[in-house]
Amino acid sequence: EAEVAQSPRYKITEKSQAVAFWCDPISGHATLYWYRQILGQGPELLVQFQDESVVDDSQLPKDRFSAERLKGVDSTLKIQPAELGDSAMYLCASSLEPGRTEAFFGQGTRLTVV
Amino acid sequence: DAKTTQPTSMDCAEGRAANLPCNHSTISGNEYVYWYRQIHSQGPQYIIHGLKNNETNEMASLIITEDRKSSTLILPHATLRDTAVYYCIVRVREYGNKLVFGAGTILRVKS
C-alpha cells in the first residue's frame, strides 16, 4: 500500500539552530500539505502545495519557516532559527486533488527544541 | 466550513459498538461530514465521509440525521487498537478547500 514517507522520525535540536524535515508524498498526488500538531491539539495547516506552487501559506510563520517543493514531488520544511515553542509533531499529507479527495498522512516528525 | 462539537472523551468496552457523536448544527447543503482518526504518535487516518445518506465501509458506519445537524460514527466491534483521537470535520468538497481539524474525541477502548 502506498504511503507518505517522512524523515526523520524524531529530531532534537538546540534553540537557534536550523532544522529541516523531508516528505515524499504518494506517487501521483499533486497536492502536498504540511501540518503542525502541538501536544493535545488537532493538526494545524502550515502550507499547501499544488504541484510545485504554494497555494496557501497563510499560517506559516514566514520569518523563520520556509517550505519548498521544487520539482512538484518531494518537499522540505525548514525552521531557522528554531525556538522552544516550535516543539511539536510535523505532519506531511498528500492527496490527488486539494479539497475533493481524501488526504493521506505520513507518520510525522517529532521535533523537540532544547 | 461549519463548526463541529464533539465530546472531549469517551470510553468503550472491547467488542462492543463505539458510537461517537458529532454536532454540526450550522452545516450547509453542500458540506460533507468527514471522519479521521489519529492513533497515538501516528498521522491522522481517513475513515469515512458522507453528505446525507448513511455510509458504511470496512472500518466504520456513518449515520447522518435527516436534518444533517448531527452525525454518529459507529465502530461496530471496537478493539483495543481503535483507541485513538477521532476528528469530525465538516467541509465543502471543492477544489482547494482545506482540511481543518478541531480537538476531536479521545476514544479509550478498555478490556
Side-chain angles (χ1 to χ4, degrees), chain B residues 2-7 20-28 31-35 50-55 61-74 88-90:
Chain B
K3 294 274 189 254
T4 62
T5 303
Q6 298 179 253
L20 292 98
C22 180
N23 286 319
H24 30 80
S25 58
T26 61
I27 193 170
S28 58
E31 288 185 306
Y32 286 72
V33 180
Y34 281 77
W35 284 86
L51 183 62
K52 48 186 166 182
N53 296 323
N54 297 337
E55 302 286 344
S61 295
L62 173 60
I63 308 297
I64 303 173
T65 58
E66 193 169 339
D67 63 7
R68 302 207 327 121
K69 293 185 177 182
S70 66
S71 60
T72 301
L73 179 75
I74 301 173
C88 171
I89 300 166
V90 170

Side-chain angles (χ1 to χ4, degrees), chain A residues 6 8-10 37-41 43 88-91 105-111, chain B residues 37-45 81 83-85 87:
Chain A
Q6 288 189 248
R9 189 84 166 88
Y10 302 93
Q37 185 173 25
I38 294 168
L39 196 62
Q41 299 181 17
M89 173 79 86
Y90 290 84
L91 294 158
F105 285 78
Q107 297 274 53
T109 295
R110 169 71 66 189
L111 173 67
Chain B
R37 75 177 181 184
Q38 187 172 23
I39 295 170
H40 182 62
S41 295
Q42 296 184 21
Q45 176 190 25
R81 287 177 293 181
T83 293
V85 180
Y87 298 98

Side-chain angles (χ1 to χ4, degrees), chain A:
Chain A
E1 183 177 299
E3 293 183 345
V4 175
Q6 288 189 248
S7 66
R9 189 84 166 88
Y10 302 93
K11 180 71 178 178
I12 299 174
T13 192
E14 292 184 347
K15 188 175 64 170
S16 79
Q17 294 298 303
V19 64
F21 316 124
W22 176 81
C23 172
D24 191 12
I26 292 173
S27 178
H29 281 194
T31 309
L32 185 146
Y33 314 82
W34 282 103
Y35 283 81
R36 176 174 60 185
Q37 185 173 25
I38 294 168
L39 196 62
Q41 299 181 17
E44 173 196 17
L45 181 67
L46 292 176
V47 62
Q48 176 179 330
F49 288 91
Q50 182 63 23
D51 298 307
E52 67 277 6
S53 300
V54 173
V55 296
D56 187 340
D57 62 357
S58 57
Q59 300 303 311
L60 188 71
K62 298 181 188 62
D63 56 335
R64 297 185 300 106
F65 286 63
S66 64
E68 61 182 15
R69 193 183 183 199
L70 293 176
K71 296 183 179 178
V73 181
D74 58 338
S75 175
T76 302
L77 178 69
K78 296 179 182 177
I79 308 175
Q80 182 173 17
E83 296 181 352
L84 296 177
D86 296 331
S87 295
M89 173 79 86
Y90 290 84
L91 294 158
C92 179
S94 70
S95 65
L96 277 171
E97 289 186 349
R100 284 209 288 249
T101 58
E102 291 64 53
F104 295 86
F105 285 78
Q107 297 274 53
T109 295
R110 169 71 66 189
L111 173 67
T112 302
V113 182
V114 297

